[in-house]
């Protein structure tokens, strides 16, 4: 068992070394809490997004997708309440001007203990002031107050703005949903814990529009569905829990919210939130834009603003949770990432047993063939044992070895990452074998 405190450091190091996640602009010293996804990280993230999309959009007749703009005009975020309300209380250390969230007081305490030992905290900290978390920019060639725009702090608003467009073009009837995956930006005061809290991140959000009287029912249904989704993709049930928000915690627009929390090495933390946003958003955008955003319910014969149930998850947090959960250190210190095969960045690796006697030719041919359908690695360096370990460490579910017998019997050995069992199968059957083991994305 890996020590809990160690685990995060080991995961971060593995992510860098094997190409899952790098610090952004690292050669210039990094950009504070901004990260880049490497060759394996981008595969894992895309697999996650594809599975989310498959289950939230493709396989449902009541949900459609959307991809809306990041640059947002201030009127939108004024109406949504973000301009005034999307704030954290901020305090500043008078000694070194470092800033902290006043509601994360333990950080202030550890800052003083580490950097300004002996100084009285209350004499050396400013009163809390509201700090807006949105990134501001300017549209067009003039930097003036008339040209302000924001980078969206959530993907949800783009969905509400297009509610009528989607309704008219897709002819959905409530209950129905609009889903979106995309980047959001928050100038977090205390980002950290690797890719858990960052300033630029991706969200996967669904706004599900329902009759007000059905809201409670769908709220509960979505909480269960989202919890099940994480289990279905292999997160251990004991590492997941649901935590309803207290009344004080609720965002201004919500009457109820529940977080799906994951037991990260740094403690239980939010992976995804499911909120009952009532009719707050459609109502406020109608009031501010002057455009009718009500829904006409033919069955009930009346017009109203639907209530909205919102499951909103963070893709980067999901990536971290899936890596942490898959991480296992064996007795010989060997690391295995036990990803669900559908999530694994590389599905299969192909090795020639040795670098001679035509074995690389046969292996390369198989590699080229499989590459048409899967992400495949080819490796001919070092012993087969070492090659297995390299693949285990990045979570590749299967490794195929081409050996001398392969030249005669046209068979190869497939080794399973988790059972470590080896099977001999015909080269011509490899693709079928993988397809049967893998629900293809
Ligand atoms: P937190 O309480 O952790 O700040 P939140 O409740 O403000 O999160 P929401 O506004 O509900 O988050 O956003 C939905 C999801 O987006 C969160 O569950 C989380 O997974 C993700 N998310 C929010 N902020 C960040 C961030 N700074 N970095 C990475 N992911 C984030």
């Amino acid at each position: 068992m890996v020590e809990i405190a160690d685990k995060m450091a080991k995961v971060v190091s593995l992510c860098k070394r094997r190409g899952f996640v790098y610090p952004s602009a690292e050669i210039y010293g990094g950009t504070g809490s901004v990260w880049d996804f490497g060759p394996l990280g981008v595969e894992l993230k895309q697999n996650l997004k594809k599975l989310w999309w498959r289950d939230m959009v493709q396989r449902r007749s009541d949900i459609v997708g959307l991809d809306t703009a990041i640059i947002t005009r201030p009127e939108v975020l004024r109406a949504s309440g973000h301009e005034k309300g999307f704030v954290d209380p901020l305090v500043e250390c008078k000694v070194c001007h470092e800033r902290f969230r006043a509601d994360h007081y333990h950080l202030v305490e550890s800052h003083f203990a580490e950097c300004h030992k002996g100084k009285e905290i209350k004499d050396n900290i400013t009163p809390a002031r509201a700090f807006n978390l949105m990134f501001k920019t300017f549209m067009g060639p003039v930097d003036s107050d008339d040209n302000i725009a924001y980078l969206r702090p959530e993907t949800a608003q783009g969905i509400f703005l297009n509610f009528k467009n989607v309704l008219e073009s897709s002819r959905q009837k409530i209950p129905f949903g609009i889903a979106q995956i995309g980047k959001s930006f928050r100038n977090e005061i205390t980002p950290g814990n690797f890719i858990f809290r960052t300033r630029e991140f991706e969200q996967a959000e669904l706004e599900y529009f329902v009759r007000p009287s059905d809201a409670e029912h769908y709220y509960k249904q979505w909480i269960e569905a989202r919890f099940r989704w994480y289990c279905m993709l292999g997160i251990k049930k004991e590492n997941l829990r649901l935590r309803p928000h207290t009344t004080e915690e609720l965002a201004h627009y919500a009457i109820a919210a529940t977080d799906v929390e994951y037991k990260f090495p740094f403690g239980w933390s939010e992976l995804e939130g499911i909120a009952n946003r009532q009719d707050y958003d459609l109502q406020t955008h109608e009031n501010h834009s002057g455009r009718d955003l009500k829904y006409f319910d033919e069955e009930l014969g009346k017009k109203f603003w639907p209530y909205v149930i919102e499951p909103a998850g963070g893709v980067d947090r999901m990536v971290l949770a899936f890596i942490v959960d898959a991480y296992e250190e064996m007795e010989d210190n060997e690391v295995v990432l036990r990803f669900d095969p559908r999530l694994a960045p590389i599905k299969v690796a192909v090795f020639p047993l040795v670098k001679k006697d035509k074995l690389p030719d046969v292996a390369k041919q198989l590699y080229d063939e499989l590459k048409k359908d899967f992400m495949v690695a080819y490796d001919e360096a070092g012993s087969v044992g070492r090659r297995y370990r390299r693949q285990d460490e990045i979570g590749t579910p299967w490794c195929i070895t081409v050996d001398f017998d392969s030249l005669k019997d046209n068979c190869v050995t497939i080794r399973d990452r988790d059972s470590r069992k080896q099977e001999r199968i015909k080269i011509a059957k490899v693709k079928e074998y993988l397809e049967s083991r893998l629900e293809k994305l």
Side-chain angles (χ1 to χ4, degrees):
M1 258 300 285
V2 192
E3 287 296 317
I4 297 285
D6 263 15
K7 191 164 175 181
M8 219 30 218
K10 287 182 173 172
V11 164
V12 174
S13 152
L14 172 72
C15 282
K16 168 83 198 300
R17 193 161 37 80
R18 298 306 312 269
F20 282 92
V21 180
Y22 311 124
S24 192
E26 191 183 14
I27 60 167
Y28 287 99
T31 312
S33 288
V34 179
W35 301 88
D36 295 336
F37 285 80
L40 295 181
V42 70
E43 293 300 327
L44 173 58
K45 200 176 180 195
Q46 277 185 10
N47 292 343
L48 248 173
K49 289 193 283 183
K50 274 191 214 159
L51 284 159
W52 189 91
W53 200 261
R54 182 198 73 177
D55 294 338
M56 300 298 264
V57 181
Q58 183 199 322
R59 291 191 173 171
R60 306 214 28 152
S61 50
D62 58 341
I63 302 178
V64 294
L66 208 58
D67 182 9
T68 69
I70 285 171
I71 297 176
T72 309
R73 49 189 294 178
E75 289 85 344
V76 172
L77 295 155
R78 200 163 299 143
S80 68
H82 283 86
E83 248 192 4
K84 270 219 176 93
F86 199 55
V87 290
D88 274 340
L90 176 86
V91 289
E92 190 172 311
C93 167
K94 289 184 190 166
V95 187
C96 64
H97 303 290
E98 197 164 328
R99 291 166 169 191
F100 302 91
R101 266 173 69 170
D103 53 341
H104 290 178
Y105 200 70
H106 61 283
L107 295 176
V108 178
E109 288 171 334
S110 41
H111 172 71
F112 275 81
E114 266 167 44
C115 308
H116 315 300
K117 225 180 188 128
K119 282 200 192 304
E120 194 63 49
I121 298 183
K122 67 176 178 3
D123 299 338
N124 289 290
I125 204 94
T126 61
R129 65 184 177 85
F131 174 77
N132 195 294
L133 298 182
M134 289 196 295
F135 278 94
K136 218 181 239 182
T137 188
F138 301 99
M139 292 269 280
V142 187
D143 291 1
S144 82
D145 282 355
D146 296 336
N147 295 338
I148 285 176
Y150 293 106
L151 304 186
R152 67 179 174 200
E154 60 177 27
T155 61
Q157 295 308 318
I159 295 179
F160 299 126
L161 301 181
N162 281 293
F163 173 69
K164 264 285 156 84
N165 284 336
V166 172
L167 208 54
E168 279 160 16
S169 52
S170 69
R171 304 171 65 205
Q172 289 283 350
K173 289 193 168 42
I174 59 170
F176 82 98
I178 306 178
Q180 166 156 240
I181 298 179
K183 289 252 180 171
S184 291
F185 303 81
R186 295 181 188 179
N187 197 5
E188 299 275 4
I189 301 163
T190 41
N193 286 326
F194 193 35
I195 53 172
F196 177 81
R197 186 181 302 285
T198 56
R199 296 197 167 104
E200 171 173 345
F201 54 96
E202 237 172 324
Q203 290 185 307
E205 298 197 286
L206 166 71
E207 307 303 326
Y208 198 72
F209 301 94
V210 301
R211 284 181 185 157
S213 57
D214 293 340
E216 181 64 16
H217 165 77
Y218 285 108
Y219 171 62
K220 288 196 181 126
Q221 200 176 75
W222 276 112
I223 293 171
E224 279 167 28
R226 294 306 302 149
F227 188 92
R228 273 201 312 272
W229 190 78
Y230 289 103
C231 298
M232 182 271 295
L233 284 177
I235 295 242
K236 295 174 200 86
K237 222 171 166 189
E238 66 267 24
N239 292 337
L240 279 178
R241 73 175 185 193
L242 292 172
R243 192 184 66 80
H245 282 207
T246 60
T247 321
E248 298 80 57
E249 267 181 287
L250 286 176
H252 58 282
Y253 49 76
I255 41 161
T258 295
D259 288 344
V260 179
E261 292 190 333
Y262 179 73
K263 195 177 183 186
F264 287 97
F266 44 85
W268 287 99
S269 308
E270 173 178 342
L271 200 50
E272 165 158 356
I274 296 101
N276 177 349
R277 292 180 81 120
Q278 311 172 82
D279 57 4
Y280 176 86
D281 303 274
L282 293 175
Q283 185 175 158
T284 190
H285 284 306
E286 175 168 326
N287 293 340
H288 282 78
S289 69
R291 298 287 283 271
D292 178 6
L293 296 181
K294 288 186 206 72
Y295 173 84
F296 178 67
D297 192 319
E298 281 171 21
E299 237 174 78
L300 298 181
K302 61 178 185 180
K303 256 177 115 177
F304 55 88
W305 293 295
Y307 268 33
V308 174
I309 307 302
E310 175 197 70
V315 180
D316 313 73
R317 279 187 195 181
M318 291 180 200
V319 169
L320 181 59
F322 278 102
I323 294 178
V324 165
D325 212 70
Y327 187 95
E328 202 175 311
E329 209 170 274
M330 311 299 278
E331 274 144 27
D332 52 2
N333 285 336
E334 189 197 325
V335 170
V336 185
L337 289 184
R338 299 201 190 279
F339 289 132
D340 180 295
R342 290 167 296 184
L343 288 175
I346 306 288
K347 307 300 180 203
V348 61
V350 181
F351 314 148
L353 182 66
V354 289
K355 268 193 271 184
K356 56 179 186 185
D357 296 334
K358 290 222 164 104
L359 297 190
D361 295 344
V362 178
K364 281 229 176 84
Q365 206 182 343
L366 177 58
Y367 165 77
D368 286 337
E369 194 50 40
L370 292 176
K371 238 177 140 31
K372 292 178 190 161
D373 296 288
F374 311 97
M375 285 302 294
V376 193
Y378 178 83
D379 189 0
E380 53 179 31
S383 70
V384 169
R386 281 191 55 187
R387 285 181 258 170
Y388 282 155
R389 281 200 289 281
R390 278 201 286 269
Q391 295 303 323
D392 284 349
E393 203 184 30
I394 60 168
T396 306
W398 300 287
C399 292
I400 296 178
T401 308
V402 174
D403 57 21
F404 291 106
D405 287 342
S406 308
L407 301 178
K408 290 177 242 144
D409 65 3
N410 286 320
C411 288
V412 285
T413 303
I414 293 202
R415 179 254 197 191
D416 184 282
R417 177 196 67 201
D418 297 331
S419 68
R420 297 198 165 178
K421 281 211 185 98
Q422 304 194 357
E423 264 180 79
R424 195 92 190 141
I425 64 164
K426 284 257 176 243
I427 293 178
K429 294 267 180 207
V430 169
K431 183 178 165 202
E432 205 181 300
Y433 174 93
L434 293 173
E435 272 168 357
S436 71
R437 301 286 308 266
L438 189 73
E439 206 181 310
K440 256 179 67 183
L441 291 174

